[in-house]
Amino acid sequence: MASIEVREDNSVFDDNWQSGKSLAECNLHMLTSEDSCDVSFRVGNNERIVRAHRYVLMSRSSVLHAMLCGPLAEKEEIRIPDVEEEIFNGMLRFLYTDTTTLTAENVTGLLYLAKKYSVGGLERLCVAYLESSLTAENACVILEQAHVFDEETLFDRALNVIVQNGDVALESYSFKDLCQTCFQNIVSAVSGEEYIVKPERMFGAAILWAEEENKAKGIGKHSRKQATSSWGVSV
Protein backbone atom coordinates (compact mmCIF):
# COMPACT_ATOMS: atom_id res chain seq x y z
CA MET A 1 0.00 0.00 0.00
CA ALA A 2 1.36 3.44 -0.93
CA SER A 3 2.37 5.76 1.88
CA ILE A 4 2.27 9.55 2.06
CA GLU A 5 4.66 11.40 4.33
CA VAL A 6 4.07 14.96 5.50
CA ARG A 7 7.39 16.61 6.29
CA GLU A 8 8.18 19.33 8.84
CA ASP A 9 7.93 22.03 6.13
CA ASN A 10 4.44 20.70 5.23
CA SER A 11 5.65 19.34 1.88
CA VAL A 12 4.28 15.96 0.86
CA PHE A 13 6.21 12.91 -0.26
CA ASP A 14 4.21 10.25 -2.05
CA ASP A 15 6.13 7.02 -2.73
CA ASN A 16 3.62 6.10 -5.46
CA TRP A 17 3.58 9.37 -7.42
CA GLN A 18 3.81 7.40 -10.69
CA SER A 19 0.34 5.92 -10.29
CA GLY A 20 -2.14 7.10 -12.90
CA LYS A 21 0.36 9.30 -14.72
CA SER A 22 1.35 9.12 -18.38
CA LEU A 23 4.91 8.51 -19.52
CA ALA A 24 5.30 12.21 -20.31
CA GLU A 25 4.00 13.21 -16.88
CA CYS A 26 6.39 10.81 -15.15
CA ASN A 27 9.32 12.05 -17.22
CA LEU A 28 8.45 15.67 -16.41
CA HIS A 29 8.28 14.87 -12.70
CA MET A 30 11.71 13.25 -12.84
CA LEU A 31 13.09 16.35 -14.56
CA THR A 32 11.52 19.01 -12.36
CA SER A 33 12.19 17.14 -9.11
CA GLU A 34 15.76 16.35 -10.24
CA ASP A 35 15.18 12.75 -9.13
CA SER A 36 18.23 10.58 -9.96
CA CYS A 37 19.76 13.17 -12.33
CA ASP A 38 23.22 12.21 -13.51
CA VAL A 39 24.36 15.11 -15.72
CA SER A 40 24.71 18.83 -14.98
CA PHE A 41 24.83 21.86 -17.23
CA ARG A 42 25.96 25.41 -16.48
CA VAL A 43 23.65 27.54 -18.58
CA GLY A 44 23.76 31.16 -19.68
CA ASN A 45 25.89 34.09 -18.62
CA ASN A 46 25.14 33.38 -14.97
CA GLU A 47 26.03 29.69 -15.35
CA ARG A 48 22.87 28.49 -13.64
CA ILE A 49 22.98 24.79 -12.81
CA VAL A 50 20.47 22.65 -14.73
CA ARG A 51 20.33 18.90 -14.06
CA ALA A 52 18.99 16.16 -16.29
CA HIS A 53 19.23 12.45 -17.12
CA ARG A 54 21.78 11.13 -19.61
CA TYR A 55 19.53 8.34 -20.83
CA VAL A 56 16.74 10.71 -21.87
CA LEU A 57 19.05 13.18 -23.60
CA MET A 58 21.03 10.49 -25.42
CA SER A 59 17.86 8.78 -26.62
CA ARG A 60 16.44 12.02 -28.07
CA SER A 61 19.40 13.76 -29.73
CA SER A 62 22.33 12.41 -31.72
CA VAL A 63 24.35 15.50 -30.81
CA LEU A 64 23.72 15.09 -27.09
CA HIS A 65 24.49 11.38 -27.46
CA ALA A 66 27.93 12.27 -28.83
CA MET A 67 28.46 14.84 -26.07
CA LEU A 68 27.59 12.38 -23.31
CA CYS A 69 28.84 9.05 -24.62
CA GLY A 70 32.00 7.87 -26.35
CA PRO A 71 35.64 8.99 -26.49
CA LEU A 72 34.80 12.70 -26.80
CA ALA A 73 32.16 12.70 -24.07
CA GLU A 74 32.12 15.56 -21.59
CA LYS A 75 33.29 14.38 -18.17
CA GLU A 76 32.50 17.40 -16.03
CA GLU A 77 29.64 19.93 -15.93
CA ILE A 78 28.75 20.97 -19.46
CA ARG A 79 28.73 24.67 -20.18
CA ILE A 80 25.97 26.10 -22.38
CA PRO A 81 26.83 29.82 -22.62
CA ASP A 82 24.82 30.73 -25.73
CA VAL A 83 21.27 30.62 -24.31
CA GLU A 84 19.67 31.41 -20.98
CA GLU A 85 18.24 28.91 -18.52
CA GLU A 86 14.59 29.42 -19.46
CA ILE A 87 15.24 28.61 -23.13
CA PHE A 88 17.37 25.56 -22.29
CA ASN A 89 14.71 24.28 -19.90
CA GLY A 90 12.16 24.68 -22.69
CA MET A 91 14.18 22.33 -24.87
CA LEU A 92 14.60 19.84 -22.01
CA ARG A 93 10.85 19.86 -21.46
CA PHE A 94 10.36 18.91 -25.11
CA LEU A 95 12.95 16.13 -24.89
CA TYR A 96 11.17 14.66 -21.87
CA THR A 97 7.54 15.12 -22.92
CA ASP A 98 7.39 15.83 -26.69
CA THR A 99 5.80 19.21 -25.98
CA THR A 100 6.81 22.66 -24.75
CA THR A 101 5.33 26.12 -24.44
CA LEU A 102 6.14 28.38 -27.40
CA THR A 103 5.88 32.16 -27.26
CA ALA A 104 6.99 35.03 -29.47
CA GLU A 105 9.79 35.61 -26.95
CA ASN A 106 11.25 32.09 -26.83
CA VAL A 107 10.54 30.54 -30.24
CA THR A 108 13.72 31.68 -32.00
CA GLY A 109 15.88 30.59 -29.06
CA LEU A 110 14.24 27.17 -29.09
CA LEU A 111 14.63 26.92 -32.87
CA TYR A 112 18.32 27.70 -32.44
CA LEU A 113 18.71 24.90 -29.87
CA ALA A 114 16.64 22.48 -31.97
CA LYS A 115 19.02 22.95 -34.88
CA LYS A 116 22.14 22.95 -32.71
CA TYR A 117 21.23 19.65 -31.04
CA SER A 118 19.42 18.09 -34.01
CA VAL A 119 16.00 17.82 -32.37
CA GLY A 120 13.81 17.53 -35.45
CA GLY A 121 10.46 17.47 -33.68
CA LEU A 122 11.16 20.69 -31.82
CA GLU A 123 12.44 22.32 -35.00
CA ARG A 124 9.23 21.50 -36.85
CA LEU A 125 7.15 22.75 -33.92
CA CYS A 126 8.99 26.09 -33.88
CA VAL A 127 8.73 26.59 -37.65
CA ALA A 128 5.02 25.76 -37.57
CA TYR A 129 4.53 28.29 -34.77
CA LEU A 130 6.33 31.01 -36.76
CA GLU A 131 4.31 30.23 -39.88
CA SER A 132 1.02 30.41 -37.98
CA SER A 133 2.09 33.69 -36.35
CA LEU A 134 2.88 35.51 -39.61
CA THR A 135 1.33 38.97 -39.94
CA ALA A 136 2.18 42.06 -41.96
CA GLU A 137 3.58 43.65 -38.79
CA ASN A 138 6.01 40.83 -37.91
CA ALA A 139 6.76 39.46 -41.39
CA CYS A 140 10.12 41.26 -41.61
CA VAL A 141 11.46 39.86 -38.35
CA ILE A 142 10.26 36.36 -39.28
CA LEU A 143 11.86 36.74 -42.72
CA GLU A 144 15.16 37.60 -41.06
CA GLN A 145 14.95 34.60 -38.71
CA ALA A 146 14.07 32.30 -41.61
CA HIS A 147 17.19 33.57 -43.40
CA VAL A 148 19.38 33.03 -40.33
CA PHE A 149 18.09 29.48 -39.80
CA ASP A 150 18.01 28.61 -43.52
CA GLU A 151 14.28 27.83 -43.51
CA GLU A 152 13.43 28.36 -47.17
CA THR A 153 9.70 27.63 -47.01
CA LEU A 154 9.22 29.96 -44.06
CA PHE A 155 11.30 32.60 -45.85
CA ASP A 156 9.12 32.41 -48.96
CA ARG A 157 5.91 32.65 -46.94
CA ALA A 158 7.16 35.65 -44.99
CA LEU A 159 8.28 37.33 -48.20
CA ASN A 160 4.85 36.74 -49.75
CA VAL A 161 3.16 38.38 -46.75
CA ILE A 162 5.46 41.39 -47.15
CA VAL A 163 4.71 41.65 -50.88
CA GLN A 164 0.95 41.48 -50.29
CA ASN A 165 1.07 44.01 -47.43
CA GLY A 166 3.90 46.23 -48.62
CA ASP A 167 3.11 49.53 -46.90
CA VAL A 168 2.40 47.92 -43.52
CA ALA A 169 5.52 45.74 -43.66
CA LEU A 170 7.78 48.61 -44.70
CA GLU A 171 6.53 50.69 -41.78
CA SER A 172 7.27 47.96 -39.23
CA TYR A 173 10.13 48.62 -36.85
CA SER A 174 11.91 45.40 -37.83
CA PHE A 175 12.23 46.48 -41.49
CA LYS A 176 15.14 48.77 -40.58
CA ASP A 177 16.95 45.88 -38.86
CA LEU A 178 17.01 43.57 -41.88
CA CYS A 179 20.33 42.30 -43.19
CA GLN A 180 21.30 43.37 -46.69
CA THR A 181 20.33 40.02 -48.23
CA CYS A 182 16.80 40.16 -46.82
CA PHE A 183 16.44 43.84 -47.71
CA GLN A 184 17.42 43.19 -51.32
CA ASN A 185 15.02 40.23 -51.54
CA ILE A 186 12.17 42.46 -50.37
CA VAL A 187 13.10 45.24 -52.80
CA SER A 188 13.21 42.82 -55.74
CA ALA A 189 9.92 41.17 -54.80
CA VAL A 190 7.99 44.35 -53.98
CA SER A 191 9.29 46.24 -57.01
CA GLY A 192 8.02 43.47 -59.26
CA GLU A 193 4.44 43.87 -58.04
CA GLU A 194 2.40 46.72 -59.52
CA TYR A 195 0.62 49.05 -57.11
CA ILE A 196 1.57 47.10 -53.98
CA VAL A 197 4.06 49.79 -52.93
CA LYS A 198 4.40 53.15 -54.62
CA PRO A 199 7.94 53.85 -55.91
CA GLU A 200 8.35 56.91 -53.70
CA ARG A 201 7.34 54.86 -50.65
CA MET A 202 9.91 52.20 -51.48
CA PHE A 203 12.51 54.90 -52.07
CA GLY A 204 11.86 56.39 -48.61
CA ALA A 205 12.02 52.98 -46.97
CA ALA A 206 15.33 52.27 -48.69
CA ILE A 207 16.78 55.52 -47.32
CA LEU A 208 15.65 54.69 -43.78
CA TRP A 209 17.10 51.19 -44.05
CA ALA A 210 20.44 52.57 -45.28
CA GLU A 211 20.57 55.03 -42.38
CA GLU A 212 20.10 52.23 -39.87
CA GLU A 213 22.61 49.99 -41.67
CA ASN A 214 25.28 52.70 -41.70
CA LYS A 215 24.58 53.57 -38.08
CA ALA A 216 25.15 49.92 -37.12
CA LYS A 217 28.44 49.97 -39.02
CA GLY A 218 29.47 53.23 -37.38
CA ILE A 219 29.57 55.09 -40.68
CA GLY A 220 27.27 57.87 -39.60
CA LYS A 221 25.18 59.80 -42.13
CA HIS A 222 23.71 57.57 -44.81
CA SER A 223 24.78 57.49 -48.40
CA ARG A 224 21.83 58.09 -50.74
CA LYS A 225 23.75 56.33 -53.48
CA GLN A 226 24.13 53.19 -51.33
CA ALA A 227 20.44 53.06 -50.49
CA THR A 228 19.16 53.65 -53.99
CA SER A 229 21.66 51.35 -55.65
CA SER A 230 20.18 48.47 -53.64
CA TRP A 231 16.78 49.57 -54.92
CA GLY A 232 18.00 49.75 -58.51
CA VAL A 233 17.64 53.55 -58.86
CA SER A 234 20.31 55.89 -60.17
CA VAL A 235 20.72 59.29 -58.52
Side-chain angles (χ1 to χ4, degrees):
M1 181 176 179
S3 63
I4 298 178
E5 172 189 343
V6 180
R7 297 166 174 166
E8 291 183 3
D9 60 359
N10 291 324
S11 63
V12 176
F13 173 75
D14 182 358
D15 67 359
N16 192 28
W17 56 264
Q18 301 92 336
S19 179
K21 289 184 172 60
S22 67
L23 175 62
E25 290 172 327
C26 289
N27 281 348
L28 184 60
H29 175 88
M30 294 291 287
L31 175 66
T32 56
S33 67
E34 298 185 352
D35 189 347
S36 305
C37 289
D38 55 3
V39 61
S40 296
F41 299 88
R42 286 192 174 272
V43 183
N45 292 327
N46 295 327
E47 296 194 340
R48 298 290 298 274
I49 296 293
V50 176
R51 296 182 174 87
H53 304 83
R54 289 174 180 268
Y55 168 77
V56 175
L57 305 186
M58 291 165 59
S59 68
R60 298 282 281 159
S61 162
S62 60
V63 176
L64 289 169
H65 189 285
M67 289 175 62
L68 298 170
C69 181
L72 300 178
E74 300 276 357
K75 305 300 181 184
E76 307 296 333
E77 292 176 334
I78 301 172
R79 283 176 167 75
I80 310 291
D82 44 353
V83 297
E84 293 306 315
E85 179 187 16
E86 182 180 357
I87 301 296
F88 190 72
N89 280 333
M91 182 187 73
L92 290 182
R93 188 182 184 95
F94 181 85
L95 295 178
Y96 277 70
T97 69
D98 247 3
T99 186
T100 194
T101 301
L102 294 176
T103 67
E105 289 72 30
N106 71 11
V107 64
T108 54
L110 286 171
L111 180 55
Y112 166 76
L113 288 179
K115 287 183 171 289
K116 178 179 179 180
Y117 294 110
S118 192
V119 184
L122 180 57
E123 181 179 341
R124 290 188 292 273
L125 196 67
C126 291
V127 171
Y129 178 89
L130 289 170
E131 289 179 349
S132 67
S133 303
L134 262 173
T135 66
E137 289 77 12
N138 67 18
C140 285
V141 69
I142 291 180
L143 182 83
E144 184 71 28
Q145 294 301 321
H147 171 66
V148 169
F149 292 116
D150 196 27
E151 291 288 344
E152 293 183 5
T153 300
L154 179 61
F155 186 95
D156 290 342
R157 290 181 179 177
L159 186 59
N160 184 61
V161 170
I162 293 168
V163 168
Q164 297 304 317
N165 302 273
D167 284 334
V168 176
L170 295 181
E171 290 173 0
S172 66
Y173 182 81
S174 53
F175 174 78
K176 296 187 295 183
D177 296 328
L178 291 168
C179 70
Q180 186 168 353
T181 298
C182 289
F183 170 74
Q184 290 176 335
N185 271 275
I186 289 176
V187 170
S188 297
V190 172
S191 300
E193 297 288 332
E194 290 187 7
Y195 310 119
I196 294 295
V197 178
K198 294 180 180 179
E200 58 270 25
R201 179 69 187 88
M202 190 67 245
F203 182 86
I207 295 297
L208 291 175
W209 175 86
E211 287 178 341
E212 200 67 23
E213 180 78 355
N214 287 338
K215 187 187 301 180
K217 293 178 180 178
I219 297 175
K221 191 174 180 62
H222 76 270
S223 162
R224 177 176 291 259
K225 184 175 182 180
Q226 175 191 340
T228 55
S229 66
S230 293
W231 188 41
V233 174
S234 300
V235 294

